[in-house]
């Protein structure tokens, strides 16, 4: 075998390799002795990343449920959002149904993927179940989502797509949400499903008033950042007042159905102390409506204060203080009002004039809604609900007569509804309503002159007997009204 004179011989190759290996072992031994271990690791990792840098352009985000001991809102939003994106070709899915759910819910199972597109950017979701290193231990496991996309879209995904997922998940939860009605039982909230059918479409109110209420609710819901900016608690107060049977409770249900808010029915007569009231109100959830019906007669705050003897309770502490108006006001717009977001507080009353002015000022009751007697427009809504009559067809022959008879404060929506329910035949039901309206109108016209004469005589007698003191005309006027009401 012949070798070219220009090439080194095999012996020279082996000699050079042996010499290099010896030098490398000597340098390595010196490096271990002279260079600290952490520095060696840093140099090694730097060289490795420089020489073997990954060429992948995909970024994967891991989203798990644990967020330092609390639930991760992004995980929950992703689970809800992806439940509507599941492909028909999915091989394995999880299924669940709570006692409040009307339908079953489908979720991704281990290894299943969902493809999504956002602003022309392709994304891939994958659900992973990691059971840990212990085989056979089903309790030690973690579940998480992996979201993969091109690295160059990182800012778009974090700043736009993730908020988009959260918003969509909130809309889906609102659609699926089962409303609950909470009531007191031994100073604890007990819940039942709220299935009241009242909506703004079916309630007997003037169209303009409906629009005002709905616009006010919409404005409140979308102004979270505004309330924070101006330094106000994110809450809204409504006072519903008017005669009995005018639809105050139905309006509360319509508001709850419109907003998808739970309702807390607070009976103040069952609460004896401010501390109990505070504990109950702190136990209410966000996105809820707190209702105190008939606030004017639910509890007599002055009497309760008068019952406390001087010096009584001074050593008992705040927890033994009786229920007071100031305690209620403190939660409505005091320091405790900031404990919770997206809250609505509603008071109802048949007698607005009996309420303490402190309850009525803006910031506590922001919008006062008068629920009066049934108008012709309200009647048409009820006729559509109960008898299927609507404005798209020719008006019923009795509509003109009904409109004339309903002019003024004659009949309440509840009384109209009672008459319309007596027959499914529109002619029979409306004729019955006309008869009732004629009787009410005749009775009102018959009593009106008598009442006016009686009131005039009582007022004259009271004015003669009135002492000439400041403020007495107002007191006498109230006394006259009470006497007239008693006589009627």
């Amino acid at each position: 075998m012949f070798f070219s004179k220009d090439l080194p011989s095999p012996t020279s190759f082996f000699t050079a390799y042996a010499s290099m290996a010896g030098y490398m072992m000597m340098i390595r031994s010196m490096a271990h002795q002279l260079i600290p271990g952490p520095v060696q690791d840093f140099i090694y990792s730097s060289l490795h990343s420089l020489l073997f840098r990954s060429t992948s352009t995909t970024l994967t985000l891991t989203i798990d449920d644990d967020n330092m001991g609390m639930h991760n809102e992004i995980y929950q939003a992703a689970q809800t959002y992806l439940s509507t994106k599941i492909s028909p070709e999915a091989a394995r899915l999880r299924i669940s149904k709570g006692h409040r759910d009307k339908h079953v819910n489908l979720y991704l199972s281990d290894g299943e993927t969902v493809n999504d597109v956002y602003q022309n950017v392709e994304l891939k979701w994958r659900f992973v179940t990691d059971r840990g290193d212990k085989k056979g231990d089903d309790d030690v496991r973690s579940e998480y989502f992996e979201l993969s996309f091109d690295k160059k879209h990182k800012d778009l995904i974090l700043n736009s797509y993730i908020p988009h997922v959260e918003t969509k998940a909130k809309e889906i939860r609102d659609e699926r949400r089962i409303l609950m009605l909470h009531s007191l039982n031994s100073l604890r909230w007990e819940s039942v499903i709220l299935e009241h059918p009242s909506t703004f479409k079916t309630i007997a109110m003037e169209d303009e008033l409906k629009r005002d209420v709905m616009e006010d609710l919409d404005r409140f819901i979308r102004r979270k950042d505004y309330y924070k900016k101006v330094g106000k608690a994110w809450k809204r107060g409504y006072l519903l007042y008017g005669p009995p049977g005018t639809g105050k409770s139905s309006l509360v249900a319509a508001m709850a159905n419109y907003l998808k808010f739970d309702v807390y029915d607070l009976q103040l007569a069952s609460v004896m102390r401010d501390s109990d009231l505070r504990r109950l109100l702190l136990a209410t959830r966000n996105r809820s409506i707190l209702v105190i019906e008939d606030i004017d007669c639910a509890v007599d705050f002055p009497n309760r204060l008068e019952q406390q003897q001087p010096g009584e309770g001074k050593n008992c502490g705040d927890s033994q203080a009786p229920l007071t108006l100031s305690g209620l006001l403190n939660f409505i717009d005091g320091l405790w009002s900031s404990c919770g977001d997206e809250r609505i507080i509603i008071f109802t009353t048949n007698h607005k004039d009996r309420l303490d002015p402190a309850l009525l000022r803006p910031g506590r009751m922001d919008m006062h809604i008068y629920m009066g007697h049934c108008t012709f427009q309200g009647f048409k809504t009820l006729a559509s609900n109960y008898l299927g009559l609507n404005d798209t067809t020719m008006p019923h022959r009795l509509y003109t007569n009904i409109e004339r008879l309903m002019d003024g404060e004659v009949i309440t929506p509840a009384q109209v509804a009672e008459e319309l329910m007596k027959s499914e035949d529109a002619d029979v039901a409306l004729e019955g309503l006309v008869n009732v309206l004629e009787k009410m109108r005749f009775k009102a016209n018959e009593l009106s002159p008598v009442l006016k004469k009686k009131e005039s005589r009582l007022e004259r007698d009271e004015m003669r007997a009135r002492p000439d003191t400041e403020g007495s005309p107002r007191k006498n006027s109230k006394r006259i009204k009470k006497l007239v009401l008693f006589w009627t």
Side-chain angles (χ1 to χ4, degrees):
M1 188 174 184
F2 300 95
F3 294 92
S4 171
K5 294 182 179 181
D6 297 332
L7 296 175
S9 64
T11 304
S12 300
F13 272 117
F14 286 120
T15 302
Y17 175 76
S19 300
M20 184 176 294
Y23 281 121
M24 292 297 295
M25 292 179 66
M26 182 177 66
I27 293 172
R28 182 178 180 183
S29 177
M30 292 176 62
H32 277 292
Q33 294 177 1
L34 299 177
I35 302 176
V39 177
Q40 296 179 36
D41 295 338
F42 174 76
I43 294 174
Y44 175 78
S45 61
S46 299
L47 291 174
H48 183 273
S49 61
L50 180 65
L51 297 175
F52 302 99
R53 180 177 295 173
S54 175
T55 58
S56 174
T57 61
T58 301
L59 174 63
T60 299
L61 302 178
T62 300
I63 307 170
D64 55 34
D65 190 23
D66 184 33
N67 180 28
M68 300 180 64
M70 297 183 295
H71 289 297
N72 186 350
E73 293 184 0
I74 299 179
Y75 175 91
Q76 295 176 334
Q79 181 171 254
T80 302
Y81 174 76
L82 294 176
S83 67
T84 64
K85 298 284 185 177
I86 296 176
S87 170
E89 300 177 358
R92 296 183 62 192
L93 296 174
R94 293 179 298 159
I95 184 172
S96 68
K97 184 178 185 296
H99 70 281
R100 298 179 181 178
D101 296 333
K102 295 182 179 179
H103 307 287
V104 297
N105 300 312
L106 296 177
Y107 301 103
L108 295 177
S109 186
D110 184 30
E112 291 293 335
T113 62
V114 168
N115 295 319
D116 198 11
V117 177
Y118 181 74
Q119 296 186 10
N120 298 324
V121 177
E122 296 183 355
L123 306 100
K124 183 177 181 180
W125 290 88
R126 180 169 176 263
F127 182 74
V128 180
T129 300
D130 186 1
R131 299 188 180 278
D133 298 332
K134 296 182 179 181
K135 296 182 179 180
D137 190 354
D138 293 338
D139 295 333
V140 182
R141 69 175 187 178
S142 60
E143 298 177 344
Y144 57 90
F145 289 101
E146 291 181 346
L147 175 60
S148 302
F149 52 89
D150 196 304
K151 290 180 179 179
K152 64 183 180 181
H153 301 301
K154 176 182 176 182
D155 290 339
L156 174 67
I157 301 305
L158 294 180
N159 300 325
S160 182
Y161 178 68
I162 296 298
H164 165 76
V165 170
E166 292 180 299
T167 301
K168 288 295 183 182
K170 181 177 179 295
E171 294 175 358
I172 295 168
R173 283 194 293 265
D174 286 344
E175 292 178 358
R176 294 176 177 176
R177 184 174 182 180
I178 305 300
L179 302 186
M180 304 301 295
L181 173 62
H182 309 267
S183 59
L184 279 184
N185 183 13
S186 300
L187 292 179
R188 292 180 180 274
W189 292 115
E190 288 191 346
S191 306
V192 296
I193 296 177
L194 177 61
E195 295 181 317
H196 200 293
S198 178
T199 66
F200 280 106
K201 183 178 180 181
T202 62
I203 193 170
M205 289 174 60
E206 292 292 308
D207 290 342
E208 183 178 357
L209 181 57
K210 286 184 185 180
R211 286 193 297 269
D212 290 344
V213 175
M214 294 170 69
E215 289 173 1
D216 192 79
L217 292 172
D218 292 336
R219 189 183 308 111
F220 166 73
I221 292 300
R222 66 172 179 262
R223 299 180 90 182
K224 177 180 180 179
D225 294 336
Y226 175 80
Y227 275 84
K228 185 177 181 180
K229 182 179 71 173
V230 300
K232 288 178 63 68
W234 191 16
K235 65 175 185 59
R236 189 78 171 158
Y238 295 88
L239 175 69
L240 312 184
Y241 67 100
T246 52
K248 294 184 286 294
S249 298
S250 296
L251 179 56
V252 172
M255 295 169 73
N257 287 325
Y258 182 72
L259 297 174
K260 299 295 183 181
F261 278 17
D262 284 356
V263 176
Y264 289 85
D265 182 18
L266 177 60
Q267 302 92 25
L268 286 180
S270 302
V271 183
M272 300 304 297
R273 293 182 291 271
D274 282 348
S275 57
D276 294 333
L277 176 65
R278 184 164 56 246
R279 183 168 62 253
L280 285 170
L281 296 179
L282 289 176
T284 60
R285 297 172 53 188
N286 293 342
R287 295 179 58 80
S288 63
I289 298 175
L290 175 69
V291 181
I292 303 179
E293 293 193 283
D294 298 321
I295 182 80
D296 57 298
C297 55
V299 62
D300 193 346
F301 290 110
N303 288 346
R304 291 202 174 201
L305 292 178
E306 290 168 5
Q307 289 173 1
Q308 185 178 12
Q309 299 299 325
E312 183 179 302
K314 289 183 178 179
N315 299 322
C316 296
D318 181 67
S319 63
Q320 299 300 320
L323 179 64
T324 62
L325 178 61
S326 62
L328 178 62
L329 297 179
N330 187 36
F331 194 88
I332 294 176
D333 71 340
L335 292 175
W336 289 98
S337 66
S338 60
C339 300
D341 285 331
E342 217 168 354
R343 305 281 185 90
I344 287 178
I345 302 173
I346 298 179
F347 291 164
T348 73
T349 179
N350 298 334
H351 308 282
K352 180 182 177 182
D353 57 319
R354 296 181 184 176
L355 299 182
D356 192 306
L359 286 169
L360 303 179
R361 71 168 179 79
R364 289 170 180 163
M365 294 294 103
D366 303 288
M367 188 174 185
H368 297 195
I369 303 173
Y370 176 67
M371 305 295 290
H373 288 76
C374 190
T375 63
F376 183 65
Q377 191 173 67
F379 155 75
K380 290 193 294 183
T381 300
L382 294 175
S384 175
N385 297 340
Y386 291 94
L387 303 176
L389 302 176
N390 52 67
D391 291 339
T392 59
T393 60
M394 182 178 296
H396 194 276
R397 58 182 175 82
L398 295 175
Y399 269 24
T400 303
N401 197 20
I402 291 174
E403 183 176 10
R404 177 182 58 82
L405 293 170
M406 293 187 70
D407 185 33
E409 297 182 350
V410 180
I411 191 170
T412 65
Q415 291 171 317
V416 174
E418 182 182 357
E419 290 301 320
L420 298 182
M421 290 182 66
K422 290 183 177 179
S423 176
E424 296 179 0
D425 187 308
D427 292 332
V428 175
L430 294 182
E431 286 173 359
L433 177 61
V434 168
N435 292 333
V436 171
L437 287 170
E438 288 176 343
K439 291 177 182 178
M440 288 183 169
R441 177 69 68 179
F442 176 78
K443 186 177 179 181
N445 293 337
E446 187 180 47
L447 291 177
S448 181
V450 179
L451 288 175
K452 287 182 180 179
K453 183 177 179 180
K454 189 70 174 179
E455 183 175 350
S456 177
R457 184 171 61 82
L458 288 172
E459 185 176 4
R460 185 172 60 253
D461 294 343
E462 286 287 332
M463 291 296 288
R464 290 173 180 172
R466 174 177 57 86
D468 190 13
T469 56
E470 184 179 356
S472 58
R474 181 181 178 184
K475 295 180 180 178
N476 289 329
S477 176
K478 288 185 177 180
R479 194 182 308 170
I480 292 170
K481 291 180 180 179
K482 291 181 179 178
L483 288 172
V484 173
L485 290 174
F486 174 77
W487 183 84
T488 57

